[in-house]
Amino acid sequence: MDQSDTKEFDLSYLNITKTGRREEKESNIQHPLLVEEGNIEYKLKLVDPTQYRFEHLATQMKWRLQEGRGEAVYQIGVEDNGMVVGLAEEDMKASLTTLHRLAEKVGADITILRHREVDSDTEDARRIAEVLIRKVPDDQQFLDLRVAVLGNVDSGKSTLLGVLTQGELDNGRGKARLNLFRHLHEIQTGRTSSISFEILGFNSKGEVVNYSDSRTAEDICENASKMITFIDLAGHHKYLKTTIFGLTSYCPDFAMLVVSANTGIAGTTREHLGLAMALKVPIFIVVSKVDLCTRATVERTVRQMERVLKQPGCNKVPMVVSNADDAVTAAQQFAQSPNITPIFTLSSVSGDNLDLLKVFFNIIPPLSNSKEQEELMQQLTEFQVDEIYTVPEVGTVVGGTLYSGICREGDRLVVGPTDRGQFHKLTVGSIQRNRSACRVLRAGQAATLALGSFDRTLLRKGMVMVSPDMNPTICWRFEAEIVLLFHAKTFHKGFQVTVHIGNVRQTAVVEAVHGKEELRTGEKAVVRFRFMRNPEYLKVGAKVLFRHSVTKGIGHVTKLQPIAQYQPSHSSDEEA
């Protein structure tokens, strides 16, 4: 690593094990065939089951699909305790036939992921089969996963997304990324400066559904049973605040760190890796532009990445994906253990290994299970406002994520807080997810909500739209337990930083450092902050990330100093 990299981003930024991040030693990571959890089901064989057993198996499949929020992986030829036995060819065929019948009964589709040979003492070859069962739950349109795309400027993030979502390879001069840019200066410079969203759909059989067949976004949503929403974030250091906002506000399930094979770990690569780890977002690596380099250069970049991932601050287990079998294993292990970090090497120009990444996206399950989802949906409605638009003939539109509860067209909510801690009444008009109409929004889903004639000037990023029955905690001051990751000098009372908490991004001043006069790099303390511009809606336990120039720190909210209870505003022009 060259000196400039060290200067721009100190390695101490990655030493974040003190923050309480869940740790697992490499020796604890088990083979996917040895641990059954969530949506994975073991079956030794399914040959000619009785009617009673068939009904029992169908009920079991429904339960597994519910656990995996619409997806389940069946491993045939494996005993209930996880011991790999394998089946002869005839038994395997009969078992797969039964599995097809079961899937048909519950209304699901099946895709055979792979067959694997098993060492046995007998002369007959024995195999196990891994099968993906997919059925979109009755109460939703498709399964949805959000992937934040990180990496240094010019590492090929937008080009890779263009190739994945448009279905056509790049020409080597940035043609694939043009459809992703939102501003003229992005097209002129080729650099992303804003947050954009792209979608990649898979049908129930695992086939890619994208724009290449002249499909619109509505068509993709209609034909896809699983949707990957990519959040394309800026790579340049001057847009770091936008990148942090995307990571904290949009609640991505995973992060994809793109590293250029010819430049290696340069610029903001380490910083983005540190951010994802600080926010506990599971991360995997894509080494792009392998068509520009020799094999030795690509291997050197991969080794460089492996060294960084194995450092004590990261404590990750790198896993290089070189074939389809690796991609299946990587998807399963990545979901089971936060320490496994798959590494893909690919080219957006030649298309090398692009299919392996698609296999990975097709199989990877959602992190939260159905029980957690159900609990969130039963809470009061809370929608975080991340974007605000004015759309001709529609009026004011807000984009963001539904943190809890359920939101329907026509719901009456309140939005705030204003500069004086007030909330305004409004009515939700139409709802759109991934650019197609949606009647019901559920906890964890991102969408845009039309608010009709509601005055846009009353809105700002960082606000929340909540149920009128909720008594949101609004505060100017809050306390947080923090770890100072890097600071050039000392951190003390009166210091001003930019604070990121969920969708809140605002300048705050340090009012007190409890028990200490000042903090130095690597030290912990409880600090009281005060917002400079307006009060915000916060929750105890929320992750805090703050920065100022080279100063960076993370922590969590421990105490709030709420202002007087909010009063909904009643002025007529604020009704939608």
Side-chain angles (χ1 to χ4, degrees), residues 299-372:
E299 286 175 359
R300 188 171 70 240
T301 301
V302 171
R303 282 197 303 273
Q304 190 185 16
M305 204 66 237
E306 286 177 331
R307 278 198 302 274
V308 169
L309 292 170
K310 287 177 180 176
Q311 285 175 350
C314 287
N315 197 29
K316 298 284 187 186
V317 182
M319 179 182 180
V320 178
V321 176
S322 51
N323 54 48
D325 199 54
D326 289 346
V328 174
T329 305
Q332 292 175 352
Q333 292 203 359
F334 184 57
Q336 287 171 9
S337 167
N339 279 27
I340 295 287
T341 306
I343 300 177
F344 296 84
T345 55
L346 52 80
S347 165
S348 299
V349 174
S350 66
D352 287 356
N353 293 339
L354 211 56
D355 287 344
L356 302 186
L357 191 59
K358 290 176 185 173
V359 167
F360 180 80
F361 283 134
N362 179 40
I363 299 168
I364 196 162
L367 286 180
S368 61
N369 59 34
S370 55
K371 188 179 176 185
E372 291 168 359

Side-chain angles (χ1 to χ4, degrees), residues 194-214:
S194 59
I195 299 171
S196 64
F197 297 85
E198 292 303 317
I199 55 175
L200 174 65
F202 292 93
N203 64 19
S204 54
K205 294 177 181 172
E207 299 160 343
V208 172
V209 183
N210 59 26
Y211 296 104
S212 58
D213 303 320
S214 302

Side-chain angles (χ1 to χ4, degrees), residues 557-569:
V557 176
T558 55
K559 186 179 176 183
L560 303 174
Q561 292 186 13
I563 59 176
Q565 286 298 316
Y566 83 96
Q567 295 294 321
S569 180

